[in-house]
Amino acid sequence: MDKPAEMFDRDHEWSALRRFINDPRPGATLGVVSGRRRQGKTFLLDAACRVAGGFYFGATEAADAESLRRISSALTDHVRPASPFHFANWAEAVDALLALGSERPVPVVIDEFPYLAKANPELPSIIQEALRPLRDQRTGSRTRLLLCGSALSFMGRLLSGNAPLRGRAGLELVVRPLDHLLAAEFWGISDPHLAMKVNAIVGGTPAYRREFARGDTPEGPDDFDDWVVRTVLNPETPLFREARYLLAEEPDLRDTALYLSVLAAVADGNATRGGMAGYLDRKATDIAHPINVLEDAGLLYRDADVFRDNRPTYRIAEPLVAFYHAIMRPVWDQLERPGSAARVWQASRRRFVSNVLGPHFEQVCRDWALHHADPDLLGGLPARVGHGVVHDPKARSRHEVDVAVVGIPDGHDKPPLLAIGEAKWNDTMGAAHIERLMHIRDLIAQGGRYDTTGTRLLCFSGAGFNDKAHAATENSLSIHLVDLASLYGQA
């Protein structure tokens, strides 16, 4: 199973599918593939079916009887039996899919499975029964049945708790957005400053370049503003309404107005439950359910405070949604009028830097520390990377730590705090930033929660560092300056 040449990256996902599909052992097996929309799941699975000679069926929102007719017709076209299939129920259809693997391992994909299960809630139980361990139709088959879906709230429940398919799956694959390094390569952007700004808007979703922007990439740093105006702020492009559609496509979101308001509160800098409740003029208990639903849908991400228990903060998981709420939603009526984008963007660029680009840069710095930084630079392998607030009792003040790298605990000792860092997109960092981190490190040591004997200090900047900052690194092995070139592996 050679990966198609036109498929960008996805090496890990393709290898996982290849191992699952080519497993020679007898017995039909089940796999579950999920991920947010536009990540290329359909392209990945359709390609796997084409390469391996499998069967792909894409479900649509339809009544149960119509879906049965569609899969009957599709399987008839695939198998070309003496007489066409006319399945009376899904039990017959699933057995026919298992029969495809009677001679060799064969991938069988049911894409957008949540649509079928919504029309027929018994479908997971039907598949569970079809894959009963000693059932002849299963033992005599090597069908590799793959259920795929973009409704993360539904797909997350498919294999959890007491769900019918719990314990039945041999593969659980999540197709994630490209990270900032791969996204820059995918968009063909070599300038790290430009790559970060583009990534803060469209993230790592492949479809946003190929289909939604029709391959339109900024030609260089000077073209960025014009690119924003002609793509994401242009009502004639699919990117313009995409953030609104992402919310509307989630089946568990009914009162969309409240969910939109919760996301708007986070985009405006209200990252705690209390902050969101105050923004919406509601009690914190009133917004607990929409927060949980947005988390399950993959639109809101919960970050635990590294230094304080039970004080989580929230961030919008999809950059385009954050951009929409911070920049587009407040002036939507103006943007819908053709020709207004340039005027709106001119007035919104400062807000873009403070509410979108700055927070996104901080998150990229955390992701880099967790997934890309050399463990030798950090003084060890990170167990987790987060952020948090450190209190200064004497000064009666608090300090925000943008990047906190926690190491792997050694036995019963306190977990090592490998590094703490500050991230500034628009500021040239100097000695004052390093001194601040030193003071925070002392406060953390006094708290006694972490072992800070080897804690290193990281300064992340999108604007660079002054001479005093560089001089500080020459005199200390525990201070590191991380610029954009380093974040993009160009240093």
Side-chain angles (χ1 to χ4, degrees):
M1 266 183 70
D2 293 331
K3 191 182 79 169
E6 64 272 20
M7 183 178 294
F8 177 81
D9 191 62
R10 298 305 186 197
D11 294 334
H12 169 77
E13 292 86 349
W14 186 262
S15 295
L17 284 174
R18 181 173 57 222
R19 290 192 299 271
F20 177 76
I21 292 170
N22 290 338
D23 184 352
R25 290 175 293 181
T29 51
L30 174 70
V32 173
V33 180
S34 62
R36 297 209 306 267
R37 294 187 184 277
R38 329 296 190 227
Q39 304 307 323
K41 301 185 301 300
T42 295
F43 180 64
L44 180 72
L45 294 172
D46 188 34
C49 285
R50 291 176 185 273
V51 170
F55 173 69
Y56 173 89
F57 175 72
T60 59
E61 286 192 274
D64 196 45
E66 182 185 353
S67 295
L68 278 169
R69 284 196 297 271
R70 288 190 64 244
I71 198 169
S72 298
S73 176
L75 196 56
T76 297
D77 292 341
H78 179 75
V79 177
R80 299 192 179 279
S83 57
F85 291 111
H86 294 289
F87 301 125
N89 52 59
W90 280 106
E92 290 183 6
V94 173
D95 280 347
L97 297 178
L98 296 183
L100 295 177
S102 59
E103 298 180 359
R104 63 180 180 88
V106 173
V108 173
V109 173
I110 300 180
D111 202 358
E112 296 299 351
F113 180 72
Y115 287 148
L116 300 182
K118 182 179 180 181
N120 187 341
E122 296 179 358
L123 189 51
S125 296
I126 293 171
I127 295 175
Q128 176 198 32
E129 170 61 22
L131 295 177
R132 186 161 36 87
L134 298 180
R135 190 168 180 264
D136 292 342
Q137 289 86 342
R138 179 188 182 178
T139 57
S141 169
R142 281 182 288 175
T143 286
R144 307 307 178 215
L145 180 61
L146 290 154
L147 308 180
C148 179
S150 302
L152 296 188
S153 53
F154 174 87
M155 298 302 292
R157 295 192 299 266
L158 200 58
L159 303 177
S160 65
N162 296 321
L165 295 178
R166 169 76 171 167
R168 288 285 194 266
L171 173 72
E172 189 172 1
L173 180 63
V174 179
V175 180
R176 305 181 188 279
L178 304 174
D179 65 23
H180 69 285
L181 289 167
L182 288 171
E185 183 182 348
F186 181 73
W187 279 81
I189 302 174
S190 58
D191 180 277
H193 195 272
L194 176 61
M196 186 66 71
K197 292 199 292 185
V198 171
N199 191 249
I201 297 177
V202 293
T205 299
Y208 291 164
R209 183 192 179 193
R210 284 178 170 162
E211 288 86 10
F212 285 60
R214 300 190 298 275
D216 187 349
T217 302
E219 295 179 2
D222 294 337
D223 188 42
F224 174 72
D225 290 335
D226 290 339
W227 174 80
V228 173
V229 169
R230 68 177 181 260
T231 54
V232 67
L233 296 185
N234 182 358
E236 299 170 5
T237 68
L239 270 177
F240 181 74
R241 294 178 177 82
E242 170 66 1
R244 295 165 71 99
Y245 292 158
L246 283 175
L247 193 67
E249 288 171 346
E250 284 296 328
D252 289 345
L253 306 187
R254 294 179 177 85
D255 180 11
T256 56
L258 179 56
Y259 297 104
L260 284 168
S261 295
V262 169
L263 291 172
V266 177
D268 202 41
N270 302 281
T272 64
R273 284 180 182 256
M276 285 182 262
Y279 181 91
L280 300 175
D281 197 22
R282 294 192 179 212
K283 296 179 180 179
T285 54
D286 294 340
I287 61 171
H289 177 69
I291 288 175
N292 293 336
V293 172
L294 287 169
E295 281 189 82
D296 291 342
L299 294 174
L300 205 59
Y301 189 85
R302 181 182 184 271
D303 285 319
D305 190 313
V306 172
F307 306 106
R308 302 182 301 169
D309 294 326
N310 301 320
R311 293 292 183 90
T313 57
Y314 295 85
R315 59 181 169 86
I316 297 175
E318 171 55 57
L320 187 62
V321 174
F323 180 84
Y324 163 77
H325 282 281
I327 305 300
M328 301 175 68
R329 189 167 178 250
V331 289
W332 185 256
D333 290 343
Q334 292 191 49
L335 283 173
E336 283 193 306
R337 178 176 177 146
S340 299
R343 176 169 169 264
V344 168
W345 180 240
Q346 179 67 28
S348 303
R349 285 188 296 181
R350 181 176 297 179
R351 183 173 175 82
F352 168 68
V353 171
S354 61
N355 287 48
V356 178
L357 186 52
H360 183 77
F361 176 64
E362 293 176 10
Q363 184 57 43
V364 169
C365 293
R366 289 189 283 270
D367 292 340
W368 176 85
L370 181 62
H371 299 297
H372 300 289
D374 188 337
D376 290 339
L377 182 146
L378 299 174
L381 183 69
R384 63 186 178 114
V385 177
H387 59 93
V389 175
V390 176
H391 285 278
D392 186 343
K394 290 183 179 180
R396 295 184 179 180
S397 61
R398 42 183 273 167
H399 301 277
E400 292 188 9
V401 178
D402 299 327
V403 180
V405 185
V406 181
I408 302 171
D410 184 12
H412 298 289
D413 294 338
K414 291 182 292 187
L417 185 64
L418 300 179
I420 57 173
E422 186 167 1
K424 297 293 184 184
W425 169 255
N426 238 8
D427 294 350
T428 300
M429 301 183 76
H433 296 90
I434 297 173
E435 291 169 0
R436 176 178 177 272
L437 287 174
M438 289 178 175
H439 177 59
I440 293 174
R441 181 172 58 186
D442 292 340
L443 292 172
I444 297 170
Q446 294 169 17
R449 179 168 185 165
Y450 295 106
D451 178 2
T452 60
T453 54
T455 300
R456 303 188 178 186
L457 308 179
L458 308 176
C459 291
F460 299 89
S461 176
F465 310 92
N466 63 23
D467 293 340
K468 290 184 178 180
H470 285 291
T473 64
E474 295 176 0
N475 300 323
S476 175
L477 296 177
S478 67
I479 302 172
H480 298 279
L481 309 182
V482 185
D483 57 13
L484 285 171
S486 299
L487 289 176
Y488 278 93
Q490 299 177 4

